[in-house]
């Protein structure tokens, strides 16, 4: 039973355009959500998080949107850069993030010059 | 800030031997550390959670006698794969969560991972 789903295994965008990565979850107890970026043979790097009390959080080129009624979140990267090419994992946790994280399978983003 | 060091990055061993992987938080106190395993093209699967000074909590299906976890200090946790077999070959990643100047308390910070190959 996959509680966090990233239905697009890959995404390809042009440099300078917007990248939108999507994530769906099923567990209504999740109230804290994170996005991590991962390069091959490296550990994930934290990008941005959002609490369920918000519907948007922004940090530079990265914005995360949360739609609680749809149990859906998305990560927007604007403008996309070739260095953004990586696998992006969505993760969720109950209890404000104090519990363990549940990860999606990841979306491989390729930004073409 | 928020650096987690994992060592070794790669290890090749013979079947039946034991392998120890270290995970250190370099600039913060890791009150909780996590060990994950990642199969190719799959998500990170949590193996166990350890709090400093107490026994690790293992996820369902993870053999605690095979994957020994020690979290003896606020900066170090170790994972020992005992009597390793080829099916244990995988990418193992640790993460840490804790307190310090450079960390947010609810964020897990990850090490670079260890690629284990058992011949």
């Amino acid at each position: 039973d996959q509680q966090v789903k990233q239905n697009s295994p890959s995404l390809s965008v042009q440099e300078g355009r917007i990248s939108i990565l999507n994530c769906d979850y099923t567990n209504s107890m999740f109230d804290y959500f994170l996005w991590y970026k991962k390069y091959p043979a490296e550990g994930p790097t934290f990008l941005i998080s959002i609490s369920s009390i918000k519907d948007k959080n922004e940090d530079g080129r990265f914005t995360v949107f949360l739609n609680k009624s749809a149990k859906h979140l998305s990560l927007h990267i604007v403008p996309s850069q070739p260095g953004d090419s990586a696998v992006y994992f969505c993760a969720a946790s109950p209890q404000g993030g104090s519990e363990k994280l549940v990860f999606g399978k990841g979306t491989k983003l390729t930004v073409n010059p | 800030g928020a650096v987690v060091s994992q060592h070794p990055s790669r290890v090749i061993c013979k079947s039946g031997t034991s392998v120890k992987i270290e995970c250190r938080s370099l600039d913060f106190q890791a009150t909780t550390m996590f060990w994950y395993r990642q199969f190719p093209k799959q998500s990170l699967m949590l193996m166990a959670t350890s709090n400093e000074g107490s026994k690790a909590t293992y996820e369902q299906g993870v053999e605690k006698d095979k994957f020994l976890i020690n979290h003896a200090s606020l900066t170090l946790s170790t994972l020992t794969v005992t009597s390793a077999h080829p099916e244990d070959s995988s990418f193992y990643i640790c993460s840490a969560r804790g307190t310090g100047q450079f960390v947010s308390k609810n964020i897990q910070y990850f090490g670079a991972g260890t690629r284990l190959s058992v011949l």
Side-chain angles (χ1 to χ4, degrees):
Chain A
D1 178 29
Q2 211 177 336
Q3 298 183 69
V4 177
K5 299 178 184 179
Q6 293 177 257
N7 291 319
S8 297
S10 63
L11 174 68
S12 184
V13 300
Q14 283 300 119
E15 180 178 7
R17 307 294 289 267
I18 184 171
S19 296
I20 300 177
L21 298 105
N22 294 303
C23 178
D24 297 293
Y25 62 97
T26 57
N27 190 336
S28 58
M29 299 302 291
F30 290 151
D31 60 6
Y32 193 70
F33 306 89
L34 306 89
W35 284 94
Y36 285 85
K37 172 181 177 180
K38 184 179 181 301
Y39 294 114
E42 292 186 11
T45 301
F46 169 71
L47 271 178
I48 192 168
S49 63
I50 188 167
S51 165
S52 60
I53 62 173
K54 294 185 175 182
D55 54 19
K56 176 184 173 181
N57 190 24
E58 195 171 348
D59 184 1
R61 296 186 297 115
F62 302 92
T63 303
V64 56
F65 295 91
L66 175 62
N67 183 332
K68 289 185 290 293
S69 61
K71 293 190 175 69
H72 176 84
L73 64 155
S74 61
L75 175 69
H76 292 210
I77 306 173
V78 182
S80 302
Q81 299 173 353
D84 296 329
S85 297
V87 177
Y88 289 78
F89 287 97
C90 169
S93 174
Q95 305 275 351
S98 61
E99 295 292 318
K100 62 185 182 184
L101 295 179
V102 179
F103 283 84
K105 288 189 175 182
T107 297
K108 183 177 182 180
L109 172 66
T110 302
V111 180
N112 301 303
Chain B
V3 177
V4 176
S5 173
Q6 186 171 342
H7 179 81
S9 58
R10 187 179 183 99
V11 59
I12 301 172
C13 69
K14 292 182 179 179
S15 185
T17 60
S18 294
V19 175
K20 180 184 281 189
I21 303 170
E22 289 190 350
C23 181
R24 293 180 185 272
S25 58
L26 298 187
D27 52 3
F28 66 100
Q29 294 188 323
T31 49
T32 308
M33 284 185 165
F34 305 84
W35 287 94
Y36 294 84
R37 184 172 178 176
Q38 186 185 24
F39 294 100
K41 299 186 190 288
Q42 295 294 317
S43 182
L44 282 76
M45 300 301 298
L46 180 65
M47 298 173 65
T49 302
S50 73
N51 293 299
E52 185 265 339
S54 59
K55 289 185 178 179
T57 301
Y58 290 81
E59 294 298 300
Q60 191 173 10
V62 178
E63 300 176 57
K64 62 180 181 181
D65 293 331
K66 179 163 190 64
F67 299 100
L68 300 179
I69 291 171
N70 185 277
H71 190 169
S73 76
L74 281 173
T75 59
L76 174 65
S77 176
T78 59
L79 167 67
T80 301
V81 183
T82 62
S83 187
H85 290 284
E87 57 265 31
D88 298 325
S89 299
S90 192
F91 192 58
Y92 294 88
I93 312 175
C94 72
S95 72
R97 189 177 67 199
T99 58
Q101 182 180 358
F102 303 110
V103 301
S104 299
K105 63 175 184 177
N106 288 333
I107 304 297
Q108 289 185 29
Y109 299 93
F110 284 81
T114 297
R115 171 70 60 191
L116 171 63
S117 299
V118 185
L119 305 177

